[in-house]
Amino acid sequence: NYTCIFIGGGVAVLVLVIVVILLLLPQPSSTTTPLTTTALPFNCNTFDNPDMWSIAKKAYCCTHGGKGCTTPAPTPPPTPPPLPYDCHAGIANWEAGWSDEKKAWCCAHGGQGCTTP
């Protein structure tokens, strides 16, 4: 009797068809978005000396993080020339101890050593 073989074979073919159909059905789309990262061209948060960075890294980090900027150091102001006279030295005895030039200069520039007419 071949009835069992035909029925068993038919069931096997039916199961095979169902499996193929399930495999061919489209899968549901994922609701999560993939994590995308863009690599930065330079890491400006390193602990190395910015003087050792390349020019390109200095330019990038200066623009994007304020680090590694190559601004020249400000030049200090020039020192003023020394004053020709120290009007505090010898003030106690200015009338006898100062020269006429020192008296004139200190009177004009500091109000000390002035002779009253």
Side-chain angles (χ1 to χ4, degrees):
N1 190 352
Y2 292 103
T3 306
C4 287
I5 294 176
F6 286 119
I7 292 175
V11 170
V13 170
L14 181 62
V15 170
L16 183 62
V17 168
I18 291 173
V19 169
V20 169
I21 290 173
L22 289 175
L23 289 175
L24 293 177
L25 285 176
Q27 299 294 323
S29 62
S30 174
T31 58
T32 60
T33 57
L35 179 64
T36 57
T37 59
T38 55
L40 298 175
F42 298 103
N43 180 3
C44 302
N45 295 323
T46 58
F47 293 105
D48 58 345
N49 185 356
D51 292 336
M52 299 173 63
W53 291 354
S54 67
I55 295 172
K57 183 174 181 177
K58 286 180 184 179
Y60 176 85
C61 292
C62 182
T63 303
H64 294 89
K67 296 180 181 179
C69 300
T70 56
T71 56
T75 56
T79 55
L83 299 175
Y85 300 103
D86 179 5
C87 297
H88 296 290
I91 189 71
N93 189 28
W94 68 273
E95 289 184 71
W98 288 4
S99 66
D100 290 336
E101 293 84 14
K102 182 174 180 177
K103 290 177 187 175
W105 193 90
C106 288
C107 183
H109 293 91
Q112 295 178 331
C114 300
T115 58
T116 56

